[in-house]
Amino acid sequence: MQRYYPRSFLKLLLVGFTLVAAPLIFALINTAISVDQLANRSQRAVYQAAQATQSGRRLAELLTSLERTARQIVILGDHSLLDAYEAARAQLLQTAGQFANLPFDEAQKDALDRIVSGEAAVHAVLSDAGAKAPQLRRAVESFVNLAEDARTITTRSDALIDREVEAMQASAAQAQRLTFWQLLALIPVVAFLVVGFSLLIARPISQIDAAIRQLGRGQFAAPVTVNGPQDLEQLGERLEWMRRELIDIEQQKNRFLRQVSHELKTPLTALREGAELLSEEAVGKLSPEQREIAEILRHNSVELQKLIEDLLSYGASQFRKVTVDREPVDVREVIERVAADQRLAVRARGLTLEIAAEDAMLSADSEKLRVVLDNLVSNAVKFSPANGVIRVAARLSGGALELDVMDQGPGIAREERARIFDPFYQARHDGAGPLRGTGIGLSVVKEYVFAHGGSVEVVDSARGAHLRVRIPLTRIEEEETA
């Protein structure tokens, strides 16, 4: 399925961050609004509660003052005190008017109405010059009921404060629950967006990484394809161009190797045959110095021919898939053949070649198995110190034939083991002899062993190098061995 990508990787990142942050910003804004509403409600409730409490207490104080003044008027019969009563009454009516503007329940309204109407009745009696004493006493006694109404207002105000506090607590708990469920609902949404955009971002990057690794390993068969933002796709196109260029360079290198190897093989064959004729004294008896020179010529022509054969083998393996012509092979016979081929080189270095091989038959390509063992032994001869020992062992183990070649040279550093079988890679330690290796002998070993379905590895060794080849046995070979 074709995915839509922004034109640039930066835009893809911005879109991803925006979509991931949007739900979180929404939740944050919603929570801020809820908190602000709760704070405003709490502020209004506190203000109204304080006003109601102050007004209730003021009503009670004014009623007490009016009652005291009224009793003085009644007891002393001094109507001049009406002015003080009028002043206190005006304050009472003003406080009642302020209190009426506050939100309160029906009980408080009724109590306030009774206070206003009751005080008006008392004022009417006190203002009446013809009012009798019993009438005045009854009017004054009505202040008891008015004071009770004032206490009712104060009590109801306290209850109203408690109800507002409970309502605010309930609102806070509801806001908390709402915030919790919003965050809980946002978790899968944000997780989905994060995972989705991570995959969108990681996909082209992983394709680029895989392409670079593929090119680094020298695997040029698969084309480089990058699906993503336009700038990353352009980077993939550049990698594809690099792959095609590397293929062209590899083909040119292989053609050069084949041509040079073939051009060198013919004169080298004549040179080797001439050196062998001199060594065999076919043209006359040689002096010891002449025989030594002829032997040097012969030995180095053999080494040079070995290098050219390695180049030809490598070029052939790169030009076409390595095929294996299987036939029954006597492993000991192949080892002895290789030992005979290496006899001159071993003797020239003063080395000792020890062979410990079990009698085993293997279904394999005889010539390729010889090349594998010959390259390993040649490598061991090259890096062995003078008068050293080279050991070649062959045994059946775990349904496979194991070939081990061990020397007493400098060994293979652990950091070089991963690349030692790469074409043209040469270790830091130079081998003995006037000719430097091409670095393809072990790569040919790897190609031929893999063609047999086997493996080759460097084994840890206390001294020198230890290389092991494992070639699996066929079912028939396993039955015969059993």
Side-chain angles (χ1 to χ4, degrees):
M1 183 180 67
Q2 183 69 27
R3 292 183 175 87
Y4 170 76
Y5 284 95
R7 295 181 62 86
S8 69
F9 185 67
L10 179 59
K11 287 184 180 179
L12 178 61
L13 289 178
L14 292 177
V15 171
F17 286 141
T18 301
L19 290 180
V20 170
L24 300 178
I25 294 175
F26 169 77
L28 183 61
I29 293 175
N30 191 31
T31 302
I33 293 174
S34 299
V35 171
D36 183 66
Q37 291 176 348
L38 183 62
N40 292 334
R41 180 177 177 181
S42 301
Q43 184 178 5
R44 289 195 302 270
V46 170
Y47 175 77
Q48 292 172 358
Q51 290 292 321
T53 302
Q54 291 177 0
S55 299
R57 291 176 180 175
R58 182 63 176 163
L59 283 174
E61 292 174 355
L62 291 173
L63 286 174
T64 302
S65 177
L66 288 173
E67 182 182 2
R68 183 169 54 252
T69 303
R71 288 185 183 278
Q72 289 176 353
I73 293 174
V74 172
I75 294 173
L76 299 177
D78 186 2
H79 287 276
S80 63
L81 295 174
L82 280 174
D83 294 336
Y85 186 91
E86 290 289 347
R89 181 174 184 271
Q91 294 180 8
L92 176 67
L93 294 178
Q94 181 181 2
T95 302
Q98 293 175 351
F99 194 83
N101 294 326
L102 298 175
F104 47 83
D105 56 14
E106 292 297 328
Q108 289 176 306
K109 288 182 180 180
D110 294 341
L112 183 61
D113 292 340
R114 285 195 299 271
I115 289 173
V116 172
S117 60
E119 188 280 328
V122 172
H123 177 263
V125 173
L126 293 177
S127 300
D128 187 4
K132 303 298 182 181
Q135 187 179 4
L136 292 171
R137 285 194 297 272
R138 284 194 303 271
V140 171
E141 291 299 329
S142 65
F143 275 106
V144 176
N145 295 330
L146 297 180
E148 184 65 28
D149 289 333
R151 284 192 295 272
T152 299
I153 291 175
T154 302
T155 303
R156 298 290 295 184
S157 296
D158 293 339
L160 179 62
I161 293 174
D162 294 337
R163 287 196 301 273
E164 284 295 330
V165 171
E166 292 176 356
M168 286 187 293
Q169 290 177 345
S171 298
Q174 182 179 4
Q176 185 178 9
R177 288 193 301 271
L178 181 62
T179 302
F180 172 76
W181 285 111
Q182 284 179 344
L183 293 177
L184 194 64
L186 286 176
I187 289 175
V189 176
V190 173
F192 173 77
L193 291 174
V194 169
V195 172
F197 272 91
S198 298
L199 293 176
L200 286 178
I201 293 172
R203 185 167 181 264
I205 293 178
S206 62
Q207 289 176 336
I208 293 174
D209 178 71
I212 293 174
R213 291 177 182 274
Q214 176 179 305
L215 296 178
R217 289 193 295 264
Q219 299 173 355
F220 308 134
V224 176
T225 303
V226 177
N227 298 318
Q230 187 175 11
D231 48 3
L232 293 186
E233 288 184 350
Q234 291 175 353
L235 180 58
E237 292 173 358
R238 295 189 185 98
L239 290 175
E240 172 62 16
W241 170 82
M242 182 186 296
R243 182 189 72 87
R244 292 194 296 267
E245 291 295 316
L246 289 174
I247 290 176
D248 186 55
I249 293 173
E250 188 72 15
Q251 291 174 348
Q252 292 179 15
K253 180 188 69 176
N254 291 334
R255 284 194 298 268
F256 173 76
L257 288 177
R258 289 196 301 273
Q259 292 173 0
V260 169
S261 300
H262 282 290
E263 292 295 330
L264 290 176
K265 190 174 182 181
T266 300
L268 181 61
T269 302
L271 179 62
R272 180 179 177 182
E273 291 176 352
E276 289 179 351
L277 290 174
L278 288 176
S279 298
E280 295 172 358
E281 299 182 345
V283 294
K285 192 170 181 62
L286 301 177
S287 65
E289 292 81 4
Q290 292 172 332
R291 186 177 295 105
E292 182 179 0
I293 294 173
E295 192 66 23
I296 292 173
L297 287 173
R298 181 177 179 275
H299 172 70
N300 284 282
S301 65
V302 170
E303 287 196 10
L304 188 55
Q305 184 175 5
K306 173 72 169 53
L307 295 178
I308 293 175
E309 288 176 352
D310 286 343
L311 287 173
L312 288 172
S313 299
Y314 173 76
S317 66
Q318 296 298 306
F319 183 71
R320 62 179 182 275
K321 184 178 179 180
V322 177
T323 58
V324 176
D325 298 326
R326 292 184 180 272
E327 59 181 352
V329 177
D330 188 333
V331 176
R332 179 184 288 275
E333 182 180 326
V334 173
I335 295 175
E336 291 176 351
R337 181 182 171 189
V338 170
D341 292 340
Q342 295 290 336
R343 185 180 299 111
L344 180 60
V346 169
R347 186 174 59 189
R349 298 289 310 284
L351 303 175
T352 301
L353 181 60
E354 297 181 354
I355 299 175
E358 297 179 358
D359 292 329
M361 296 296 294
L362 180 69
S363 177
D365 189 312
S366 167
E367 179 57 25
K368 289 183 174 56
L369 185 61
R370 183 200 66 79
V371 172
V372 167
L373 191 57
D374 186 72
N375 284 354
L376 293 178
V377 174
S378 176
N379 209 57
V381 170
K382 178 180 177 182
F383 288 97
S384 291
N387 302 318
V389 178
I390 299 174
R391 295 181 177 85
V392 178
R395 67 178 183 277
L396 299 176
S397 175
L401 172 70
E402 289 187 354
L403 288 173
D404 293 272
V405 178
M406 298 156 279
D407 60 53
Q408 297 176 339
I412 301 173
R414 187 171 296 275
E415 61 271 15
E416 293 182 333
R417 294 183 181 181
R419 301 189 57 194
I420 198 67
F421 296 101
D422 292 346
F424 303 103
Y425 180 79
Q426 295 182 351
R428 291 176 298 178
H429 300 289
D430 292 333
L435 296 177
R436 182 175 175 84
T438 59
I440 62 174
L442 291 181
S443 68
V444 172
V445 169
K446 178 182 176 181
E447 291 282 345
Y448 286 0
V449 171
F450 280 15
H452 284 81
S455 63
V456 58
E457 61 179 341
V458 180
V459 181
D460 291 332
S461 176
R463 181 184 179 187
H466 180 180
L467 285 86
R468 174 175 294 168
V469 172
R470 284 179 58 88
I471 299 179
L473 302 176
T474 62
R475 182 178 302 176
I476 297 176
E477 292 168 342
E478 291 179 351
E479 291 175 357
E480 291 178 351
T481 304

